[in-house]
Amino acid sequence: MKRLLLIAAIAFLAAGFLALRPAGAQMVSTLPVPGITIYPGDPITDDMLTERRFRLTRASLEAVVAGREMLVGKVARRTLLPGQPITVNAVENAKVVRRGVPVRLVFVEGGLTIITYAEPMQSGSVGEVIRVRNTESGTVIVGVVQPDGSIVVGKS
């Protein structure tokens, strides 16, 4: 009997604390969600997405992708299920450069341009700074991944 009274008292107090929660603590947001299952490595296109309304707190809203434009062209890092919100860390930019696959290395400084080939030591997306190894000298240098898949080093 004492146990039942204790449980009832705890439930009554918990209900009171929940009533003290600010009215704006949860909000309704329309989020892009997959319309189909998207697997890791799949590029995300606009026709794969649909929209759905969710009740979210401010903290959980910051953890999910809020707009379609932030998803289209990205690549899934893990399986994305239909109708479920997509977390920010579940997608990434497409990798233009793959580790171990030779790329064109362009050194630019002033009016001087030198082009050679190098082996990336890591994969990279456009604009990322990555390490590459010059295949002729073995020297490791850093450069910026370009949209055409080349790596630029030096001042441009």
Side-chain angles (χ1 to χ4, degrees):
M1 183 67 171
K2 287 183 181 181
R3 180 175 256 171
L4 279 175
L5 287 174
L6 180 61
I7 292 172
I10 291 172
F12 177 77
L13 290 174
F17 284 123
L18 290 176
L20 295 176
R21 171 174 55 119
Q26 282 195 348
M27 59 189 89
V28 176
S29 294
T30 302
L31 300 174
V33 296
I36 59 169
T37 301
I38 302 173
Y39 295 98
D42 287 351
I44 299 172
T45 59
D46 192 51
D47 62 335
M48 294 176 158
L49 302 173
T50 185
E51 293 187 346
R52 187 169 159 213
R53 295 173 59 103
F54 293 93
R55 288 179 91 57
L56 300 169
T57 63
R58 185 172 304 280
S60 61
L61 184 59
E62 292 175 6
V64 296
V65 179
R68 288 174 99 101
E69 67 281 352
M70 298 168 68
L71 290 170
V72 175
K74 302 261 182 164
V75 175
R77 293 180 68 195
R78 60 181 176 83
T79 303
L80 306 176
L81 299 174
Q84 297 299 311
I86 301 170
T87 58
V88 175
N89 63 355
V91 294
E92 65 184 351
N93 291 325
K95 301 292 185 193
V96 177
V97 172
R98 297 273 177 222
R99 179 178 184 233
V101 178
V103 295
R104 196 168 57 124
L105 182 67
V106 181
F107 174 81
V108 179
E109 189 164 333
L112 176 67
T113 301
I114 301 172
I115 299 174
T116 187
Y117 286 89
E119 181 181 330
M121 299 177 71
Q122 60 196 94
S123 298
S125 303
V126 175
E128 276 188 291
V129 176
I130 66 168
R131 295 177 303 137
V132 295
R133 181 185 352 257
N134 184 319
T135 53
E136 294 175 12
S137 67
T139 305
V140 176
I141 51 180
V142 295
V144 179
V145 178
Q146 301 301 301
D148 65 356
S150 64
I151 308 289
V152 172
V153 297
K155 299 177 185 172
S156 48

